[in-house]
Amino acid sequence: IAQSRINIIPKPSMVQELEGQFALNNNKIYVSAPFREVAVLLSDLMRWKQNRIFLLTKGAVPPAGSIIIEKTKGNKQDSASYTLDIKTKTVRISSAGYAGAINAMQSLAQIILTQDNKNQIPCARIQDQPRFGYRGLMIDVSRHFFPPSFIKKMIDLIGLYKINTLHMHLTDAAGWRIEVKKYPALTAQAAWRTSYGWKKWWNSDRDYVTEGEANAYGGYYTQLEAKELVAYAQKRGITIIPEIEMPGHSEEVIAAYPHLGCVGGKKGQGEFCLGNDSTFTFMQDVITEMMEIFPSTYVHIGGDEAGKSNWKSCSKCQQRIKDNQLKDEFELQSYAIRRMEKFISSKGRQLLGWDEILEGGLAPGARVMSWRGEKGGIEAARMGHDVIMTPGGTCYFDKYQQDPATEPEAIGGFLPLQKVYE
């Protein structure tokens, strides 16, 4: 059996391999004006000089040896689909939308990068369109902070595989990672902890320290840095979604602003006081600043693994339950999610949360990210809600991928690459 010369991940819907090869040798790139940035990205990826990029004008016939990136007519549904024609004399990318042109460019880049001889690529005709509109990767920058330079490398890599969403887990007990001008203690204090290793810190004192202290571990993105990351991703067809946790996983916030917890400055509180209107003022203030940085449709508010014990003994939370005729603490959490969903919707955005937001009833405009298996996603879909499937058994890379003896410490479990890809 002849070995395929075209190997693209994910596999395109149609690949027709043809005889012959296209030579790569100081090729000129002719591009429709709306797609010029795609030509720049291809040049940067292949380390070609940008002086080889020319605008494609009506009626002009590019010379032999050219790479052509052209915008074609089409509707919104066609915007992410593309055709890639590699012939002996020309390479032509055709798409109705920027997303499709980016996808085609990444396919071409994969073909080039996977050839033994990088100066020649096999001729082929490829047509493709995404099976899923949302194709994402989450990175947890709370437990381990990654600087902007690393995030840019991650964006480049996921773009190569046509992943179009980067979900940044910006806040958790392990550290707050984004500048909020209205609440400076979030980055002066809540962004810094006593130990580099999250597990060591979690199993010991769980103390936070002030920025600049000796041996302080942490960091955060300034709003300017975050905006630069958003712009960098947008050029590559990638949307960044911010996640700001509530009502749980918020120990770092309560350490910096004790009045947001049920029992003041008591150490180890992970849940906001939902009987306190200051909690909702805080969350709305933070989300407002995030929406100014991140133009994504979705705003992720977490909603997972919230303990209920402090709410049961908190007079304010119990009064909130009574005043709103709620049945229990699960419905209290649902009340909080619904209140945030109403606020986020009023700003023209959509609330996204982990599948725990189903508990106690789901806000009408909420979208569910199903991580505890598939059950929550199926339930939400049957209720008419959009769902993003992220089941831990197949989608979590914090498990071992090979023999644990040969890999860095993981959270546990076994998830080989083959199972993920299947």
Side-chain angles (χ1 to χ4, degrees), residues 141-179:
V141 295
S142 172
R143 290 177 177 85
H144 186 82
F145 178 68
F146 295 95
S149 58
F150 181 91
I151 301 299
K152 288 180 178 179
K153 290 181 180 179
M154 181 66 75
I155 290 169
D156 288 340
L157 186 60
I158 67 175
L160 189 62
Y161 296 101
K162 305 183 181 72
I163 291 173
N164 66 356
T165 308
L166 179 63
H167 167 186
M168 295 189 72
H169 187 77
L170 291 166
T171 73
D172 209 306
W176 184 281
R177 303 296 178 218
I178 184 76
E179 177 188 17

Side-chain angles (χ1 to χ4, degrees), residues 41-42 44-45 47 102 105-106 109-110 113 137 148-163 166 229 231-238:
L41 292 175
L42 179 63
D44 288 347
L45 185 61
R47 297 177 181 174
I102 286 285
M105 182 275 290
Q106 299 289 17
Q110 280 198 40
L113 293 169
L137 178 84
S149 58
F150 181 91
I151 301 299
K152 288 180 178 179
K153 290 181 180 179
M154 181 66 75
I155 290 169
D156 288 340
L157 186 60
I158 67 175
L160 189 62
Y161 296 101
K162 305 183 181 72
I163 291 173
L166 179 63
L229 288 175
Y232 188 88
Q234 282 180 328
K235 286 182 179 179
R236 289 152 181 82
I238 295 169

Side-chain angles (χ1 to χ4, degrees), residues 200-212:
K200 179 181 177 182
W201 173 82
W202 185 255
N203 292 328
S204 58
D205 53 29
R206 300 191 194 178
D207 281 341
Y208 301 95
V209 293
T210 304
E211 182 177 8

